[in-house]
Amino acid sequence: MRFRLLKKNFIAFLVILIVFIMLFYTIRWTKSEANVEVTEIEISQTAIMVKFDYETIENMRKSVYDSNYHQFIQNGDKFPLDPEVVVVVQVHNRPAYLKMLIQSLEKVTGIQNTLVIFSHDYFSEEISDMVKGITFCRVLQIYFPYGIQLYPNEFPGQGPQDCPRDISKEDAVKKGCSNAEHPDSYGHYREASITQTKHHWWWKLHFVFERVRVLLGYNGFVVFIEEDNYLLPDFHEYFKSMTELRKAKCGDCDILAVGNHDGLSGFRELSSKTETAGWLSTKHNIGMGISRELYYKLMGCNHAFCTYDDYNWDWTLQSLSGTCISKPLKALVARGSRVLHTGDCGLHQKEDCRPEKSQERVDAALKEAQSALFPQVLTLTDHGPVEHQPHMKNGGWGDVRDHTLCINYAARL
């Protein structure tokens, strides 16, 4: 009797042991599979660098799609921490000015804690190699997929059936050109080279906040600049101080304007000073810090932005401030600019570009301003509530095809 009892207990123990062993190895196998899946996902998102093919337009279109999908983070292994500041650069085709910008970035204290995103609407090996040569911070390159280089003979480029800019509507209708019914407010027809910048800016805003995977958990400000800008050495530290100042004393400030168009005039006296102001295109469109909160407000005005008859993104933004966005946009402004404008040619002036002279001016100005960089404390002059600032629209954006493409960026990207 006693032997039978021991035998039953042994069998029960053996069954329990077998079950335990099976569970143990099942759990280990499941964890191993999960780790393999995570590794595969990480590789697919961070380790694939697309080789850009410039040979044909079709090859470039495919390279653009593949690059925007894989989003290779250059120097990601070297700088693995999450960024403290994100800078987005809109790049066209001015490599000499882009080179100056990159040189200024390298001199920024704390740049290793910054993610710099270069958004291109013109694709060349010269520009690509310039960006690939950056070793001092994390870099992501994204590519505007609807530029005129990719569509040279059809919309959104300039198609052979498009109406000439200065033809009258009556003559355009008689001629039967494709956009005859849609001149702008001043009777002119679209020019693809003029409309591209606004398209690129709005697409880029969508893509950075909605599709850049490395930023999906990022809740800080994103600073938007252009290829012909130049950052001062204390840009990173100064911008972090501005974000803290906003948090403490200017919670209703929508935009951080870390640059202005005054150059470094009076910089020693203004270096540590900030003020509030209503956002203005002519003053605050350089070095704009935009939060995810403001981005969502702008997306609520997607249709208004995309149908407003002005080819300038910044004048269009000003038109939304106090209209579609009911409360006018309030900016926290650096009186001592940390972003300089170096370009002496661009959209409207394409000749007599002299970047070497711009570099000389920057060097001389920086030499004078050096002692006033890195202020210990920022001061704020709050001018109170801001008002809507209406302006006369500039036209150039009357074609319904531009409106439709612009509106659809939120869906397509």
Side-chain angles (χ1 to χ4, degrees), residues 60-61 64-65 68 119-121 123 142-151 156 196 199-200 203-204 207 405 409 412-413:
M60 283 197 293
R61 288 179 184 175
V64 165
Y65 176 86
N68 286 343
S119 183
H120 304 273
D121 61 33
F123 318 114
I142 61 176
Y143 302 88
F144 177 53
Y146 302 106
I148 57 180
Q149 188 183 11
L150 299 179
Y151 297 90
Q196 178 171 264
H199 275 295
H200 184 179
W203 173 87
K204 172 190 68 181
F207 197 89
L405 177 59
Y409 290 146
R412 294 183 183 185
L413 292 177

Side-chain angles (χ1 to χ4, degrees), residues 161-173:
Q161 298 302 316
D162 286 348
C163 301
R165 177 186 183 273
D166 295 322
I167 192 173
S168 69
K169 184 175 180 179
E170 181 181 0
D171 289 342
V173 171

Side-chain angles (χ1 to χ4, degrees), residues 205-217:
L205 187 70
H206 280 293
F207 197 89
V208 166
F209 280 104
E210 298 285 2
R211 293 293 187 267
V212 174
R213 290 187 291 272
V214 74
L215 294 183
L216 291 181

Side-chain angles (χ1 to χ4, degrees), residues 110-257:
I111 193 63
Q112 70 276 8
N113 300 316
T114 302
L115 170 65
V116 182
I117 301 175
F118 293 88
S119 183
H120 304 273
D121 61 33
Y122 183 86
F123 318 114
S124 74
E125 292 187 71
E126 179 185 13
I127 291 173
S128 179
D129 290 345
M130 206 175 286
V131 176
K132 286 179 182 176
I134 295 174
T135 60
F136 48 79
C137 67
R138 298 173 82 188
V139 170
L140 170 64
Q141 296 193 71
I142 61 176
Y143 302 88
F144 177 53
Y146 302 106
I148 57 180
Q149 188 183 11
L150 299 179
Y151 297 90
N153 300 310
E154 59 181 306
F155 181 84
Q158 202 76 29
Q161 298 302 316
D162 286 348
C163 301
R165 177 186 183 273
D166 295 322
I167 192 173
S168 69
K169 184 175 180 179
E170 181 181 0
D171 289 342
V173 171
K174 289 178 182 178
K175 184 177 181 180
C177 47
S178 57
N179 51 334
E181 296 295 336
H182 304 290
D184 68 9
S185 301
Y186 303 99
H188 300 301
Y189 290 94
R190 81 183 294 271
E191 297 175 274
S193 59
I194 298 296
T195 60
Q196 178 171 264
T197 302
K198 181 174 175 176
H199 275 295
H200 184 179
W201 195 87
W202 196 240
W203 173 87
K204 172 190 68 181
L205 187 70
H206 280 293
F207 197 89
V208 166
F209 280 104
E210 298 285 2
R211 293 293 187 267
V212 174
R213 290 187 291 272
V214 74
L215 294 183
L216 291 181
Y218 179 77
N219 292 314
F221 281 77
V222 177
V223 184
F224 290 86
I225 62 173
E226 298 183 11
E227 64 189 341
D228 62 347
N229 292 162
Y230 189 101
L231 303 190
L232 269 59
D234 67 345
F235 165 83
H236 180 90
E237 296 301 316
Y238 188 92
F239 190 75
K240 287 201 302 178
S241 296
M242 279 190 82
T243 60
E244 291 302 315
L245 182 64
R246 175 189 178 271
K247 190 184 301 182
K249 297 184 178 180
C250 194
D252 61 339
C253 286
D254 302 289
I255 294 174
L256 301 184

Side-chain angles (χ1 to χ4, degrees), residues 13 40 95 105 170 187 206 223 226 327 333 387-388:
F13 172 77
E40 289 176 350
L105 285 167
E170 181 181 0
H206 280 293
V223 184
E226 298 183 11
K327 184 180 177 183
V333 181
E387 297 179 355
H388 172 60

